[in-house]
């Protein structure tokens, strides 16, 4: 019964991620047959171009095996990226149960109804296991459908193996997040689990570029995932790696259960004793709480600092990796024709600009979604009702939210640009500072498009807003990825913020694209103001 | 004739299937303490949310000090202190930060008033909201409603979660606030609370206002009601009014 209850609570995550996995793999598989070509020479050329692409992303995903085959291509573009996306799902599911449900009183009510703590934790883990089995099966089934659409066949055993790997890595991520959530405070559980999982992910992926890290990569579950690539011809399924993932999941879930048994509900296992202090009866006198926009930025200060430092650190990592990646690529004669598109300018700045801004777009889209989640939470937990009981108009509220987001993302973009500029200088890569800052500021209207869509969706239905804006961002990304492959109409491709962002460091800021981004954002904000005026709050 | 603090005319908010608020005609005079009574789901919170401009009526109109609650919502809220039925979640913000945030948004908050209120209810503003007990959360909501010395207080079940001592303190605060010239509109299930503080009461049932009376009139009616010879409480009267002369007992 509690397993079903867990599935009921996580139904939106299950539906969303199953659909995401299905759509992602389907478009990758069908897209493969659109672009791979027909002759052996065309396929080989395609495989070489994918290898070039893969080399840019070795810090994220392992290099592909035989990317000129559907198995090799979809393993690289589909399943590897799904493993990252679904690990994020595992993290939110685990921390949502461990601490979120506690905050909402669900855990307390379950324990009061007679459930044992270990049984409760086991049942919720079981719910998640069922959910990921369904989502992984959907991803695998789609791969079979996509391959059949291309007139080829696939060994079902290979598909089962790749799905089993997806299940195992998500279970391991879930177990780790569950354990961290027992040790951290409710406030920091999701962030702490995210940091730990990111660190483990980077430990493995950076060990491909920094050999000194390879002695420690056994600590990362992602290492055991990387040992297998079952889909391409000549690929392998490493049974010991798979067993390693299951072992990590089992140990961490067991440790989390032991910690859950020992800690107080609402508290973390590791608890810092509160200091004695006299009671406070005065409100804070600081002037920033009275200044519109500034008060919102101050309220979000911790999150903004974490985002700025995080993006800055990633920018530094990209700058540090660029030379070694490009040098490896230049040493492969067959890749030189593909690199020539960069060499007519300056190869290092060009590659760095391309890779960094591709990744920064994803991070900034995620930042927008996080802000939308906050607006939706304000609506559902009653804060909006309280805010609107102050003499502030609804349109002013929407405008202030947008202004806070603009200043926040501009700050993050500026910090990451400064970090990239400094790190590239240290690594001997000569970036044009003016163009870099202009390109970084282009992230602001890019972010505003997703935020405006989120604002509109929050005004319409706050409970569904986060999932819908994430789906919008995903569709926007697919649009730019698949638009050229499926020859979608230009106007349709231009609806994608990812397409409109372009490559401003390489080509400069495109005025038309900037205007379109601003137009899309203005349409979203305007519509959300109109909708906000009409809707009931707290009803 | 003095301007009414609250005036509604045929005010309707229809949620369908008979739920909502229907044809509400109500007038609350300035400096009056008006109790708004009714069972769960009667439409008390819906009325309050319409008055606060949070939800839009399907028909009719509502005015606060002559200002339209929909069209002039911002101006209305300058004059109103609001205590919602469910205290919102402020997560890890400290009490002092919540006061500063909402006070900054509102403006015109006197720090001395905040200090006096938090001392009076012994509310430690240095603690995080998520560490507060439900009673302390309610105290914070009281501080937020009273901190700018509003002309009208709209309070949705204000003593929910308060212990008896703090309830008494709250009643005293209501009396002082009324004496200072404010109008108070409060919804409640606690009939003794209404007896303590209200001048008049309105009884709402299934979205319709079925009775408005001053407290003395209600007491007289109650005395005449089939409880002659006893000193029936307002609670007994309330139960008999809604067709439940005796509280139901749980099955053994």
């Amino acid at each position: 019964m509690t397993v079903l209850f867990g599935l009921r609570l996580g139904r939106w995550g299950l539906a969303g991620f199953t659909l995401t996995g299905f759509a992602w793999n389907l478009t990758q598989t069908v897209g493969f047959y659109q672009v791979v070509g027909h002759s052996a020479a065309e396929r080989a050329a395609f495989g070489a171009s994918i290898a070039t692409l893969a080399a840019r992303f070795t810090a994220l995903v392992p290099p592909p095996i035989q990317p000129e085959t559907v198995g090799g291509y979809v393993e690289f573009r589909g399943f590897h990226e799904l493993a990252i996306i679904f690990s994020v799902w595992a993290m939110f599911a685990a921390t949502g149960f461990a601490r979120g449900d506690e905050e909402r009183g669900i855990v307390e009510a379950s324990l009061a109804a007679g459930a044992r703590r270990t049984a409760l934790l086991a049942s919720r883990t079981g719910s998640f296991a069922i959910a990921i089995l369904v989502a992984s099966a959907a991803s695998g089934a789609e791969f079979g459908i996509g391959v059949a659409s291309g007139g080829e066949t696939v060994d079902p055993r290979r598909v089962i193996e790749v799905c089993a790997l997806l299940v195992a890595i998500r279970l391991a991520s879930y177990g780790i997040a569950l354990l961290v959530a027992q040790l951290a405070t409710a406030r920091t559980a999701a962030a702490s689990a995210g940091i730990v999982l990111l660190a483990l992910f980077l430990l493995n992926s950076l060990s491909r570029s920094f050999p000194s890290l390879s002695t420690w990569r056994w600590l990362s579950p992602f290492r055991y995932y990387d040992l297998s690539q079952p889909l391409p011809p000549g690929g392998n399924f490493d049974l010991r790696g798979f067993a390693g993932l299951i072992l990590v999941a089992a140990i961490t879930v067991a440790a989390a259960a032991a910690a859950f048994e020992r800690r107080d509900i609402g508290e973390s296992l590791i608890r810092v004793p509160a200091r004695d202090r006299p009671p406070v009866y005065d409100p804070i006198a600081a002037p920033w709480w009275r200044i519109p926009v500034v008060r919102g930025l101050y309220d979000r200060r911790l999150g903004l600092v974490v985002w700025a430092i995080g993006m800055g650190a990633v920018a530094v990592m990209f700058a540090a990796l660029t030379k070694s990646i490009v040098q490896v690529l230049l040493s492969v004669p067959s890749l030189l024709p593909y690199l020539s598109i960069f060499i007519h300018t300056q190869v290092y700045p060009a590659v760095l600009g391309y890779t960094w801004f591709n990744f920064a777009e994803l991070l900034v889209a995620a930042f927008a979604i996080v802000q939308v989640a906050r607006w939706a939470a304000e609506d559902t937990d009653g804060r909006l009702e309280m805010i609107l009981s102050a003499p502030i108009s609804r349109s002013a509220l929407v405008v202030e939210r947008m202004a806070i987001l603009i200043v926040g993302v501009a700050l993050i973009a500026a910090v990451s640009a400064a970090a990239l500029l400094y790190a590239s200088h240290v690594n001997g890569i000569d970036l044009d500072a003016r163009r870099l800052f202009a390109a970084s500021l282009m992230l602001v209207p890019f972010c505003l498009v997703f935020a405006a869509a989120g604002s509109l969706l929050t005004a319409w239905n706050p409970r569904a807003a986060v999932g819908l804006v994430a789906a919008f961002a995903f569709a926007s990304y697919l649009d730019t990825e698949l638009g050229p492959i499926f020859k979608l109409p230009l106007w349709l491709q231009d609806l994608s913020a990812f397409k409109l962002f372009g490559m401003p460091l390489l080509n400069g800021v495109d005025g038309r694209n900037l205007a379109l981004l601003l137009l899309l954002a203005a349409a979203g904000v305007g519509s959300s103001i109109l909708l906000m005026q009409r809707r009931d709050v707290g009803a | 004739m003095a301007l009414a603090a609250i005036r509604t005319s045929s005010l309707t908010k229809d949620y369908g299937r008979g739920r909502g608020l229907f044809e509400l005609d109500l007038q609350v005079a300035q400096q009056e303490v008006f109790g708004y009574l009714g069972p769960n789901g009667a439409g008390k919170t819906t009325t309050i949310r319409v008055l606060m401009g949070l939800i839009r009526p399907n028909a009719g109109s509502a005015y606060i000090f002559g200002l339209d609650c929909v069209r002039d919502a911002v101006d209305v809220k300058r004059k109103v202190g609001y205590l919602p039925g469910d205290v919102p979640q402020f997560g890890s913000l400290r009490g002092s930060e919540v006061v500063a945030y909402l006070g900054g948004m509102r403006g015109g908050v006197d720090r001395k008033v905040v200090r006096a209120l938090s001392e009076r209810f012994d509310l430690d503003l240095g603690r995080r909201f998520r560490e507060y007990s439900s009673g302390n959360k309610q105290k914070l909501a009281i501080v937020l409603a009273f901190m700018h010395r509003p002309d009208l207080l709209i309070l949705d079940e204000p003593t929910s979660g308060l212990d008896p001592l703090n309830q008494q303190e709250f009643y005293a605060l209501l009396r002082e606030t009324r004496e200072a010239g404010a109008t108070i509109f409060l919804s409640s299930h606690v009939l003794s609370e209404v007896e303590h503080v209200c001048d008049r009461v309105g009884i709402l049932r299934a979205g319709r206002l079925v009775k408005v009376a001053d407290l003395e009139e209600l007491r007289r009616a109650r005395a005449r009601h089939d409880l002659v010879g006893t000193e029936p409480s307002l609670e007994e009267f309330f139960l008999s009014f809604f067709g439940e002369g005796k509280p139901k007992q749980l099955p053994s």
Side-chain angles (χ1 to χ4, degrees), chain B residues 152-178:
Chain B
L152 169 65
L153 282 141
I154 296 182
L155 312 171
D156 195 354
E157 297 181 28
T159 55
S160 164
L162 291 185
D163 62 46
L165 284 177
N166 279 299
Q167 283 182 14
Q168 294 304 320
E169 199 59 56
F170 178 72
Y171 301 147
L173 175 66
L174 283 186
R175 282 189 285 269
E176 289 164 24
T177 307
R178 196 261 294 269

Side-chain angles (χ1 to χ4, degrees), chain A residues 362-488:
Chain A
L362 295 175
L363 290 177
V364 165
F367 176 77
I369 293 169
V370 169
Q371 302 311 307
V372 172
R374 184 188 172 104
W375 301 336
E378 279 181 356
D379 209 315
T380 52
D381 66 19
R383 263 176 296 164
L384 181 64
E385 187 177 340
M386 207 65 208
I387 289 167
L388 287 178
S389 74
I392 176 171
S393 71
R394 297 184 181 202
S395 49
L397 175 79
V398 173
V399 170
E400 185 171 348
R401 281 176 171 177
M402 287 300 154
I404 291 166
L405 179 123
I406 289 170
V407 177
V409 75
L411 182 79
I412 291 168
V415 169
S416 62
L420 190 71
L421 188 66
Y422 174 75
S424 58
H425 177 72
V426 168
N427 286 280
I429 300 171
D430 186 22
L431 288 182
D432 180 336
R434 280 187 61 184
R435 191 173 265 198
L436 173 64
F437 277 96
S440 298
L441 284 179
M442 186 77 172
L443 288 169
V444 177
F446 171 83
C447 182
L448 203 52
V449 169
F450 296 110
S455 179
L456 179 60
L457 291 164
T458 308
W460 174 62
N461 184 347
R463 291 186 193 281
V466 178
L468 290 175
V469 78
F472 171 69
F474 182 63
S476 185
Y477 184 69
L478 279 185
D479 186 21
T480 192
E481 284 276 297
L482 303 176
I485 296 173
F486 291 105
K487 298 183 176 56
L488 297 177

Side-chain angles (χ1 to χ4, degrees), chain B residues 61-81:
Chain B
S61 54
Y63 295 90
I64 286 179
F65 296 117
L67 296 165
D68 188 302
C69 290
V70 176
R71 202 181 52 237
D72 307 316
V74 174
D75 292 329
V76 163
K77 288 169 206 167
R78 283 188 221 287
K79 297 172 179 294
V80 176

Side-chain angles (χ1 to χ4, degrees), chain A residues 103 187 277 280-285 289 381-383 385 387-389 391 394 533-534 536-538, chain B residues 13 49 53-56 74 77 82 88-89 92 97 104 106 111 115 118 122-127 130:
Chain A
E103 292 262 294
R187 185 186 175 200
R277 55 158 185 79
V280 175
Y281 296 119
D282 285 312
I284 292 170
W289 289 104
D381 66 19
R383 263 176 296 164
E385 187 177 340
I387 289 167
L388 287 178
S389 74
R394 297 184 181 202
Q533 299 284 4
R534 305 292 311 167
D536 290 345
V537 171
Chain B
K13 178 67 183 180
R49 284 182 170 154
L54 297 169
I55 58 179
R56 301 172 73 88
V74 174
K77 288 169 206 167
Y82 174 52
Q89 298 301 313
S92 55
E97 290 177 318
R106 167 174 288 289
R111 285 169 53 80
R115 184 177 177 89
S118 44
D122 192 24
L123 176 67
D124 182 359
L125 293 175
R127 292 179 65 190
R130 67 159 45 104

Side-chain angles (χ1 to χ4, degrees), chain A residues 11 46 50 56 92 130 140 156 170 173 221 229 233 303 310 313 320 358 390 401 461 478-479 515 535:
Chain A
R11 66 195 185 285
F46 174 75
I50 293 299
R56 292 184 198 133
F92 281 117
I130 292 170
R170 289 173 212 169
S173 302
Q229 286 210 42
N358 271 343
R401 281 176 171 177
N461 184 347
L478 279 185
D479 186 21
R535 66 165 294 217

Side-chain angles (χ1 to χ4, degrees), chain A residues 174-249:
Chain A
Y174 184 88
I176 291 166
L178 199 59
L179 178 58
V180 173
Q182 308 298 323
L183 308 177
T185 61
R187 185 186 175 200
T188 59
S192 304
I195 289 167
V196 170
L197 281 173
L198 181 66
L200 291 171
F201 176 79
L202 290 176
L203 173 65
N204 173 56
S205 56
L206 292 179
S207 71
R208 295 186 205 111
S209 305
F210 300 105
S212 59
L213 290 175
S214 58
T215 46
W216 295 101
R217 67 185 175 196
W218 62 272
L219 285 168
S220 171
F222 297 95
R223 166 65 182 160
Y224 304 116
Y225 179 78
D226 277 5
L227 291 173
S228 301
Q229 286 210 42
L231 282 185
N236 70 305
F237 178 73
D238 189 291
L239 194 58
R240 284 195 306 174
F242 175 74
L245 285 173
I246 298 296
L247 192 65
V248 168

